[in-house]
Amino acid sequence: MIVDCAIYRDGHRTEGPTDLSDALDEARASGDAFLWIGLHEPTEQEFDLVTEEFGLHPLAVEDALKAHQRPKLEVYDDSLFMVLKPVTYEPDSDVVSSGELMIFLGDSFVVTVRHGEGSPLKAVRRRLEEDPQMLRLGPTAVLHSIADTTVDHYLDVATELQTDLEELEAEVFSPSDGGSRHTASRIYTFKRQVLEFRRATGPLAPPLTRLAGSGRFSTDVPFVHDRAQPFFRDVNDHLSRVNESVEGLDRLVSDILSAHLAQMSVRQNDDMRKISAWAAMAAVPTMIAGIYGMNFDHMPELHWVWAYPAVILLMAALEVFLFRLFKRRGWL
């Protein structure tokens, strides 16, 4: 459905015609205005009118309707199409969820299509309306503001993930909780969330590099104002920080998982040594008792009065010897 629709002229919002075709014609006629339409999870029938009025490319329209796209930037004859993946992180459940945000830029118009609840644009629109100087850049200002807000939120999510990872690291190396059976599962789940975060941030680097006019993509991008390139370079720098942070998180969580598995292996070896030590101590009296339990007539000291206490004392002495031996070697 259409969430908001307005014409922006000379950096200020004005109410235009309700008919999309008339509103677009009015924006193009004035020369210093553009039309911004915001949609949230539109159906195919709802989007048909927008497609027809703005001449959007059918491939981009298909991507906007079906969602589940990687961040990308596509240039068509009559419009520019960009996909962003805003993310949200719930610290209580340790879940990273991503939405999708599609932006169409063309001659005097911007169409934003939002999927999911994690990428509201009301705050972005309100902030732009409070900055007429920025809005005078036209649709480019909208594209920059949305990208900047999305990447800034990436930084917040990366910080929250780093905090939770430090807590997980402390738990892994804790003497009491490091061997918990659920620790490995938590580490693996956390790694899946980092991977989900990377899917949103990693593919966005080439589109922002192109918008910034640097690297291999140094040519101008249609429908994007040349004066906006420094602003996109700033956004790209922030994204580079995010990607570096994500790389560090991924490596660190892998190292933590390896350390946890090594700890579990060492503890299992310790347990096996303790079991082996107690089994060896139990074998001594069992062996002696087994020998004297055999039905032979000729047994050493069988009819001696002190034979029984002597055997008990021998078994006790051997047990003490084995206990001290295993204790000295760290097996008990």
Side-chain angles (χ1 to χ4, degrees):
M1 63 178 182
I2 297 180
V3 178
D4 200 351
C5 178
I7 295 177
Y8 295 89
R9 181 178 291 107
D10 194 27
H12 297 279
R13 176 175 180 142
T14 60
E15 298 302 327
T18 56
D19 183 79
L20 295 182
S21 180
D22 294 340
L24 182 60
D25 291 340
E26 180 179 331
R28 287 174 173 171
S30 62
D32 61 348
F34 69 94
L35 176 66
W36 182 2
I37 300 177
L39 299 99
H40 179 235
E41 296 182 354
T43 63
E44 186 174 352
Q45 291 75 19
E46 291 173 338
F47 207 60
D48 282 343
L49 177 61
V50 177
T51 302
E52 181 180 352
E53 295 296 340
F54 293 93
L56 304 180
H57 196 279
L59 292 177
V61 171
E62 182 181 0
D63 291 343
L65 290 174
K66 292 185 177 180
H68 304 293
Q69 303 295 318
R70 286 165 51 92
K72 63 180 180 178
L73 179 67
E74 300 286 351
V75 178
Y76 299 102
D77 293 336
D78 299 324
S79 63
L80 181 74
F81 178 63
M82 187 170 186
V83 179
L84 299 170
K85 291 181 73 69
V87 298
T88 56
Y89 181 59
E90 298 295 336
D92 296 335
S93 57
D94 295 339
V95 173
V96 172
S97 57
S98 60
E100 291 196 32
L101 188 56
M102 288 78 171
I103 308 168
F104 294 88
L105 258 72
D107 181 17
S108 301
F109 73 85
V110 180
V111 178
T112 55
V113 182
R114 181 165 58 93
H115 292 269
E117 300 298 330
S119 55
L121 294 178
K122 185 180 296 185
V124 176
R125 188 185 287 261
R126 183 173 61 251
R127 187 167 61 250
L128 276 174
E129 291 175 354
E130 294 172 356
D131 188 1
Q133 184 176 358
M134 189 69 178
L135 264 180
R136 288 190 180 96
L137 292 176
T140 303
V142 178
L143 179 63
H144 167 265
S145 184
I146 294 175
D148 186 48
T149 301
T150 301
V151 173
D152 284 346
H153 190 60
Y154 287 165
L155 289 169
D156 297 336
V157 173
T159 301
E160 293 176 356
L161 284 172
Q162 182 65 42
T163 301
D164 286 355
L165 184 59
E166 291 174 357
E167 296 176 357
L168 187 59
E169 184 180 14
E171 176 184 334
V172 168
F173 292 102
S174 172
S176 57
D177 297 333
S180 172
R181 68 178 65 180
H182 302 296
T183 303
S185 176
R186 285 194 58 196
I187 297 173
Y188 184 74
T189 301
F190 192 89
K191 189 174 180 63
R192 289 290 300 269
Q193 305 314 311
V194 174
L195 178 60
E196 180 68 21
F197 190 29
R198 173 184 280 181
R199 288 172 180 165
T201 63
L204 184 58
L208 282 181
T209 301
R210 185 175 183 181
L211 289 172
S214 56
R216 295 181 301 166
F217 309 107
S218 57
T219 58
D220 295 338
V221 180
F223 310 107
V224 176
H225 204 289
D226 295 342
R227 291 164 53 192
Q229 287 185 350
F231 296 95
F232 282 111
R233 280 198 291 270
D234 180 68
V235 178
N236 195 27
D237 289 341
H238 291 175
L239 181 65
S240 298
R241 289 173 49 195
V242 172
N243 285 328
E244 290 173 0
S245 178
V246 172
E247 290 291 336
L249 286 171
D250 187 60
R251 288 195 301 268
L252 186 57
V253 74
S254 297
D255 293 341
I256 290 175
L257 179 59
S258 299
H260 172 69
L261 295 178
Q263 281 185 325
M264 294 296 295
S265 178
V266 170
R267 292 185 181 185
Q268 287 178 351
N269 290 336
D270 289 341
D271 292 340
M272 288 302 299
R273 286 191 300 179
K274 291 178 181 180
I275 293 172
S276 300
W278 287 111
M281 293 174 62
V284 172
T286 302
M287 179 188 66
I288 296 175
I291 291 175
Y292 277 88
M294 293 186 294
N295 297 320
F296 292 109
D297 291 333
H298 302 286
M299 295 288 292
E301 310 299 341
L302 190 59
H303 300 288
W304 184 37
V305 176
W306 299 100
Y308 178 72
V311 171
I312 295 297
L313 183 61
L314 176 62
M315 288 190 294
L318 290 174
E319 291 296 310
V320 171
F321 171 75
L322 291 175
F323 180 81
R324 296 185 63 180
L325 177 64
F326 293 144
K327 192 73 173 177
R328 188 182 305 113
R329 295 186 176 182
W331 286 29
L332 291 175

